[in-house]
């Protein structure tokens, strides 16, 4: 209707903060907040915050933060995100992202290194697409046409560490499992290997407040575990896979990489981004799924160990849901709504 303002929703999932610094000699009680850049400039209170994690140098959050921006102000507005110590009300980190720099429907996974002591924040950004944008993406000529939607529910990893640690899972699709296994083995055994990498864009906190430009990544961050000996997630890992990769005889696979969230003591490492350590990986060959899983069906699958140290035992349960882009398009047409969140089509009602 005339005079009605339409909004664009921006989501920020702050997954975890690792090795946070002491605040005035005390262990912090961190929480994250988000608001528009104009609200921050006007010093307005944030409407979207996480729970406070009391007395925690390592904190994990599950619920995404949401900020609504008028669509006619997309070019001027952005989202301001901060990590705050509840006790002292001091900022632990703060950054802004311009709304226009986010691709609608595209998840942007990033890491933020706060200082030379190894404090680290992991987060995901998403700009919610409009109904028209989503239907264009999944339409006959869109980039998501013919894609299959996979959802893997990770449970637990046993024997992952000799001492409590935070463990992060990164999911991706590799073209050839054999070549990936060789490169991964090299990355684990040779610290100077070119195959060794941080699985997503990393930004350095060189100023008290910075502006971040999101970068596209082929990897997808699942969730980070609370520090423990046997990390548990019980959260979905979402992937969109070309139908051809699930054909019989396909060499492609879904790979789960496990990273210890740690830091190096050498200050020079601050500039190299070495704050997460590749620990091992497991895989599910996609060629096997085409016969064993039907659209919309949930089924337990066994993970095959690919590479990893002798303590790594990927014995958690995996379930898979497969939906095609045509089914998702029909859902959009019937409801007239885009299922909002960082997981996208996984928010559809589970098939009966």
């Amino acid at each position: 209707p005339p005079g009605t303002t339409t909004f664009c929703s921006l989501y920020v999932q702050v997954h975890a903060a690792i090795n946070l610094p002491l605040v005035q000699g005390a262990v912090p009680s961190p929480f994250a907040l988000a608001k528009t850049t104009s609200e921050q400039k006007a010093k307005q209170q944030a409407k979207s915050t996480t729970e406070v994690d009391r007395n925690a140098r390592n904190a994990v959050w599950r619920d995404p933060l949401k900020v609504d921006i008028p669509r006619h102000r997309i070019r001027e507005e952005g989202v301001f995100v901060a990590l705050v110590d509840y006790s002292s009300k001091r900022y632990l980190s703060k950054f802004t992202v311009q709304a226009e720099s986010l691709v609608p429907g595209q998840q942007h996974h990033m890491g933020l290194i706060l200082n030379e002591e190894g404090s680290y924040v992991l987060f995901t950004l998403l700009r919610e697409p409009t109904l028209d944008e989503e239907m264009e993406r999944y339409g006959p000529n869109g980039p998501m046409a013919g894609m299959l939607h996979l959802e893997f529910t990770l449970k637990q990893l046993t024997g992952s560490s000799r001492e409590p640690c935070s463990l992060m899972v990164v999911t991706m699709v590799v073209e050839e499992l054999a070549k990936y296994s060789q490169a991964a083995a090299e990355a684990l055994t040779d610290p100077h290997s070119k195959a060794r990498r941080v699985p997503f864009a990393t930004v350095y906190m060189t100023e008290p407040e910075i502006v971040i430009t999101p970068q596209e990544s082929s990897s997808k961050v699942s969730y980070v575990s609370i520090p423990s000996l046997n990390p548990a997630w019980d959260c979905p890992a979402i992937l969109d896979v070309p139908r051809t990769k699930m054909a019989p005889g396909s060499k492609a696979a879904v790979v789960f990489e496990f990273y210890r969230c740690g830091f190096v003591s050498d200050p020079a490492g601050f500039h190299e981004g070495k704050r997460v350590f590749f620990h091992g990986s497991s895989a599910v060959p996609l060629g096997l799924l085409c016969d064993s899983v039907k659209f919309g069906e949930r089924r337990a699958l066994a993970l095959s160990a690919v590479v990893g140290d002798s303590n790594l035992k990927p014995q958690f349960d995996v379930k898979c849901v497969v939906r095609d882009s045509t089914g998702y398009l029909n859902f959009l047409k019937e409801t007239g709504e885009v299922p909002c969140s960082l997981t996208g089509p996984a928010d559809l009602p589970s098939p009966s």
Side-chain angles (χ1 to χ4, degrees), residues 20-37:
L20 288 173
L22 298 176
V23 179
Q24 298 176 327
V27 176
S29 293
F31 70 95
L33 62 83
K35 50 186 170 180
T36 66
T37 49

Side-chain angles (χ1 to χ4, degrees), residues 29-211:
S29 293
F31 70 95
L33 62 83
K35 50 186 170 180
T36 66
T37 49
S38 60
E39 288 173 340
Q40 169 62 9
K41 187 176 181 180
K43 298 185 177 181
Q44 296 180 20
Q45 188 172 352
K47 300 175 184 176
S48 187
T49 66
T50 65
E51 296 291 328
V52 176
D53 201 338
R54 301 278 181 175
N55 302 316
R57 296 192 68 186
N58 298 287
V60 175
W61 296 279
R62 293 289 185 242
D63 297 325
L65 305 171
K66 179 185 177 184
V67 170
D68 291 321
I69 294 176
R71 290 198 175 275
H72 68 275
R73 290 186 53 79
I74 284 292
R75 294 187 176 183
E76 296 82 19
E77 280 280 18
V79 58
F80 170 85
V81 183
L83 210 60
V84 183
D85 173 37
Y86 179 80
S87 301
S88 65
K89 302 300 187 289
R90 288 193 175 189
Y91 285 119
L92 300 173
S93 70
K94 51 184 176 178
F95 62 89
T96 59
V97 180
Q98 291 302 121
E100 192 178 27
S101 66
L102 296 171
V103 179
Q106 172 70 55
Q107 293 184 17
H108 301 273
H109 306 284
M110 303 193 71
L112 181 63
I113 298 177
L114 307 185
N115 51 45
E116 295 185 359
E117 286 70 46
S119 301
Y120 189 85
V121 178
L122 175 67
F123 59 95
T124 297
L125 301 163
L126 172 71
R127 174 178 160 188
E128 184 183 38
T130 63
L131 180 62
D132 289 342
E133 289 171 336
E134 192 76 337
M135 293 191 69
E136 183 176 348
R137 287 177 69 216
Y138 284 87
N141 299 316
M144 306 301 287
M147 300 290 276
L148 297 179
H149 182 76
L150 276 64
E151 174 186 332
F152 294 90
T153 303
L154 308 180
K155 296 290 184 180
Q156 191 176 39
L157 182 67
T158 59
S160 62
S161 179
R162 296 175 182 174
E163 60 183 26
C165 69
S166 287
L167 206 63
M168 175 179 64
V169 178
V170 172
T171 58
M172 67 185 76
V173 176
V174 297
E175 295 290 336
E176 292 191 33
L177 183 55
K179 289 184 178 180
Y180 165 81
S181 301
Q182 181 178 355
E186 179 185 350
L188 284 168
T189 56
D190 181 5
H192 302 293
S193 166
K194 291 182 180 180
R196 190 177 181 85
R197 62 180 178 78
V198 175
F200 43 80
T202 300
V203 179
Y204 307 99
M205 200 76 186
T206 53
E207 301 291 338
E209 181 176 344
I210 61 174
V211 177

Side-chain angles (χ1 to χ4, degrees), residues 141-345:
N141 299 316
M144 306 301 287
M147 300 290 276
L148 297 179
H149 182 76
L150 276 64
E151 174 186 332
F152 294 90
T153 303
L154 308 180
K155 296 290 184 180
Q156 191 176 39
L157 182 67
T158 59
S160 62
S161 179
R162 296 175 182 174
E163 60 183 26
C165 69
S166 287
L167 206 63
M168 175 179 64
V169 178
V170 172
T171 58
M172 67 185 76
V173 176
V174 297
E175 295 290 336
E176 292 191 33
L177 183 55
K179 289 184 178 180
Y180 165 81
S181 301
Q182 181 178 355
E186 179 185 350
L188 284 168
T189 56
D190 181 5
H192 302 293
S193 166
K194 291 182 180 180
R196 190 177 181 85
R197 62 180 178 78
V198 175
F200 43 80
T202 300
V203 179
Y204 307 99
M205 200 76 186
T206 53
E207 301 291 338
E209 181 176 344
I210 61 174
V211 177
I212 291 178
T213 301
Q215 300 180 35
E216 186 175 348
S217 173
S218 59
S219 305
K220 290 199 173 187
V221 176
S222 296
Y223 286 89
V224 181
S225 66
I226 296 172
S228 66
L229 288 173
N230 297 308
W233 295 273
D234 198 20
C235 296
I238 310 302
L239 289 170
D240 289 297
V241 180
R243 187 184 296 270
T244 55
K245 295 188 186 302
M246 289 186 65
S250 170
K251 298 179 180 180
V254 173
V255 171
F256 301 86
E257 291 189 342
F258 310 105
Y259 289 79
R260 287 192 299 267
C261 297
F263 63 96
V264 294
S265 56
D266 182 6
F270 172 71
H271 301 291
E272 298 174 10
K274 295 179 180 177
R275 286 303 184 280
V276 288
F277 299 94
F278 189 21
H279 192 46
S281 64
S282 297
V284 176
L286 287 172
L288 298 180
L289 293 184
C290 60
D291 294 325
S292 62
V293 180
K294 298 179 181 179
F295 290 143
E297 181 183 8
R298 303 190 69 90
R299 180 174 295 186
L301 299 172
L303 278 176
S304 61
V306 180
V307 290
D309 60 37
S310 58
N311 294 320
L312 185 67
K313 297 178 181 179
Q315 298 177 340
F316 45 76
D317 296 330
V318 177
K319 293 183 179 179
C320 180
V321 173
V322 182
R323 297 186 180 92
D324 63 359
S325 56
T326 302
Y328 182 49
L329 267 179
N330 291 336
F331 172 85
L332 293 175
K333 293 174 182 177
E334 291 173 4
T335 62
E337 296 180 356
V338 177
C340 65
S341 86
L342 292 171
T343 57

